[in-house]
Amino acid sequence: MNWAMKTKGYNQRRACALAGIDPRVYRRTSKRPADTELRARMKELASERRRFGYRRLHILLKREGWEVNWKKLYRLYREEGLTVRKRGGRKRAVGTRAPMAIPQGPNQRWSLDFMSDALEDGRRFRVLNVIDDFSRECLAAVVDTSIGGARVARELDRIAELRGYPCMVVSDNVLCRENLAA
């Protein structure tokens, strides 16, 4: 409106007609209070408590004695540009990964993998396969309806009694280099 009146020299009525608004809307002045103290306190609380949205800020302000409607608080919250800070995403590995070394002899690296299937009556069962990556030999195939962590450890210890402990164990892209003999 101001641009059309200043640069083009249009009167107020013609500029309003071009913009498609009533001249009374253009001339109307807001009678809303500035609420500077409330805005300042709301900003302080939002900076202290970054994970609090307008609803929680409303509760905190109410406890402090501010009598404010939540709809008004929401309007002020938006006008001040306050938002709940987004949480960080998933942490990713920094740098490039080194390719996994190819085993040069037996018992250097074992791979664990789980497979599952269902019987004809619908009951599910799982198979734990332990494979020596150098010789491609299947060291164990454990079949059960449920295979927990203790059972996996017991089976690995049983295999290690017969063949010795490996240098590393790999399971679904997870590398375990801890001392397996201990």
Side-chain angles (χ1 to χ4, degrees):
M1 299 294 302
N2 292 332
W3 174 83
M5 290 189 299
K6 287 179 185 170
T7 58
K8 296 291 187 177
Y10 294 154
N11 62 17
Q12 193 181 74
R13 181 177 291 168
R14 184 168 182 200
C16 287
L18 288 172
I21 63 170
D22 193 271
R24 286 176 289 183
V25 173
Y26 175 72
R27 288 191 295 264
R28 182 181 178 276
T29 57
S30 177
K31 294 183 178 84
R32 272 191 188 142
D35 293 318
T36 52
E37 293 175 11
L38 177 61
R39 288 175 190 258
R41 184 61 188 141
M42 191 170 58
K43 279 184 184 177
E44 286 174 26
L45 287 173
S47 65
E48 289 171 15
R49 318 275 181 131
R50 296 173 157 246
R51 299 293 308 155
F52 283 8
Y54 75 95
R55 288 186 176 109
R56 187 74 178 133
L57 290 178
H58 181 251
I59 292 168
L60 294 177
L61 288 168
K62 205 174 193 180
R63 284 181 188 162
E64 292 179 3
W66 291 89
E67 289 296 326
V68 61
N69 186 340
W70 70 268
K71 290 180 270 186
K72 177 179 181 177
L73 188 76
Y74 178 66
R75 179 178 53 81
L76 296 175
Y77 186 84
R78 275 190 338 218
E79 286 175 4
E80 291 299 320
L82 300 173
T83 55
V84 176
R85 305 293 187 268
K86 297 287 185 199
R87 290 191 184 269
R90 186 174 75 93
K91 301 286 188 265
R92 288 177 178 78
V94 178
T96 58
R97 289 187 177 202
M100 196 178 299
I102 298 170
Q104 300 300 317
N107 265 7
Q108 285 189 354
R109 185 172 71 201
W110 291 353
S111 292
L112 302 179
D113 195 14
F114 287 96
M115 297 171 56
S116 67
D117 202 356
L119 299 171
E120 191 174 297
D121 61 357
R123 290 186 301 155
R124 300 196 65 78
F125 66 92
R126 300 187 81 187
V127 180
L128 168 65
N129 295 311
V130 183
I131 298 172
D132 186 342
D133 286 345
F134 177 76
S135 63
R136 297 289 183 193
E137 177 185 0
C138 180
L139 305 176
V142 182
V143 181
D144 204 345
T145 54
S146 158
I147 304 173
R151 174 83 184 272
V152 172
R154 192 169 64 238
E155 293 296 331
L156 288 174
D157 284 338
R158 186 186 60 77
I159 299 167
E161 285 176 9
L162 301 172
R163 299 183 53 102
Y165 285 93
C167 297
M168 70 177 74
V169 176
V170 179
S171 173
D172 293 332
N173 301 328
V174 177
L175 180 64
C176 305
R177 286 186 189 226
E178 296 172 15
N179 188 0
L180 297 173

